[in-house]
Amino acid sequence: MANVLRMLGIHKRFGPVKALGGVDFELEAGEIHALLGVNGAGKSTLIKILSGVYTHDEGTIEIDGQPVELGSPRAAILAGVATVQQHPELVPDCTGVENIFLGHEGRKPGLFARIDRTAMRAAAQKLLQRFPIEIDLEARVGEMPAVDREIVAILHALRNENTRILILDEPTSTLTEREKASLFQLMRSLRAAGIAIIYITHRLEEVFEIADRFTVFRGGRNVATLTSQEATERGISIPELLLDEKAGDLFPERDGKADGDVLLEAKGLGRSGLFSGVDFELRRGEILGIFGLVGSGVDELSKTLFGAIRPDEGTMQVKGKAVRFRGPHDALKAGIFLVPGDRRTEGLAMTQDVVFNTTVAHLGRASRLGGLLKFGRNRLDTEALARDVGLQPFELDRPVSAFSGGNQQKIVIAKGLFRDSDIYIFVEPTVGVDIGARAKLYTLIRELSRRAGVIVMSSDCDEVHGLADRVMALYKGRPVETGGWNASRDQLLSAGIMGARAA
């Protein structure tokens, strides 16, 4: 097929740092092309050049065989390039139709300018006829499931009829398997319509499911472009391409059966309409894994254990003492720390720097008598934790909004380590984190469990099964029998996605 995009010899530097060193990248019309690379490999820089956020230092860009200068996001849109960010900025109180045409609503003629809602609805229906997908665009975006919000963001990007290239940045990071199937259905429709898709993902299994080709970035260069079939036939390991080394075992070795004291116990814990009947014990020296898809009640359970949601049934004990938390402040006093799954809204102050976000978790440790901050000490502590989690780039004065999603996740985990608690709850701990950094974070969590009790809650079955000493599953708010604490990966997966009890 003909190339819709050619990027040749692209260089980009940020001061002394070489982000891209002579990258070549080609995209065919009507293909889904996965872009892979660990955090800092250069893929985000390439995409920002293509979307007009950055200008390249050297090289050429051609769209449909014609040289183009993409000096601004507007220039990129006019050239037919549209981008859907990992966290689309939508207006939750507006409908899907209103979000699609936000800023391009059209006006009815007359003395008083009014939005032409009839024309907007008609244009939205034309989009759905062109790219068939089931979605209620009259619903408010804030009430939509995650996949529908992603679809609205894509339709917003496609409202311009000249769009030829669509960039999707980690679109499945918060989707269930069923929601992912709906998104992939839309992507296939776009491909059939001749739209080329650049698909950025850290979920390597999705490459073989949806992508026609994939390109691996490492150290600011394109190191391989292959089809999935070529990779399989030649026995090429994508993780080894990403890391330039043998991938090895992603998960650290387990220490054996934990025999520490019981730190946290739940009996019949529930909250009406969210989850019910949850029983478990957490001991010092172990990782308890809880697997559940989005909507299973896992997130609500984590917030209940942290005091943000009050249970209406069951009991909790911390170190043998019955507790009823009035809020997170009580949970913190009891020695519980939550690393939330939604880092942007619940885990980080996005406009503040790394030092602030790390030390705000424990102001008692971060300040002297009278409330004066220990600026020097706090910076040294943050530097040590940033090294532990592998923060890149190592710029502690940078606002966290300027870091990639994976590095933002590292900062949230550093914040938890600064707190020095007895009980840690990690929700989706490696969302948006590349495979190399993921292994390091798993090792940190394992080391943490040697002095504390750790709960890992995740919609990634492999993560739960590979990391935890004991496992359980939630399905539609109810615990499901997994065949004992030593459940196999398949038993855990079946329990979490179908509610099927182990044989």
Side-chain angles (χ1 to χ4, degrees), residues 77-125:
I77 291 170
L78 292 175
V81 181
T83 304
V84 178
Q85 303 294 342
Q86 183 177 2
H87 301 283
E89 299 293 341
L90 301 174
V91 182
D93 288 336
C94 291
T95 67
V97 172
E98 291 165 343
N99 271 276
I100 290 171
F101 296 100
L102 192 64
H104 297 79
E105 293 87 354
R107 296 288 188 269
K108 288 184 177 180
L111 180 61
F112 299 101
R114 292 176 297 164
I115 293 175
D116 194 341
R117 299 185 184 278
T118 301
M120 286 167 54
R121 292 189 180 96
Q125 287 305 311

Side-chain angles (χ1 to χ4, degrees), residues 341-368:
D342 189 346
R343 57 180 174 258
R344 289 169 60 87
T345 59
E346 298 174 347
L348 296 169
M350 299 298 291
T351 60
Q352 299 294 326
D353 63 21
V354 179
V355 176
F356 176 91
N357 274 279
T358 301
T359 57
V360 74
H362 196 335
L363 292 178
R365 174 182 171 182
S367 59
R368 299 183 178 87

Side-chain angles (χ1 to χ4, degrees), residues 244-262:
D244 194 24
E245 60 187 19
K246 295 292 183 183
D249 191 0
L250 187 61
F251 301 100
E253 289 187 11
R254 296 177 175 87
D255 295 334
K257 186 175 180 180
D259 55 4
D261 52 312
V262 176

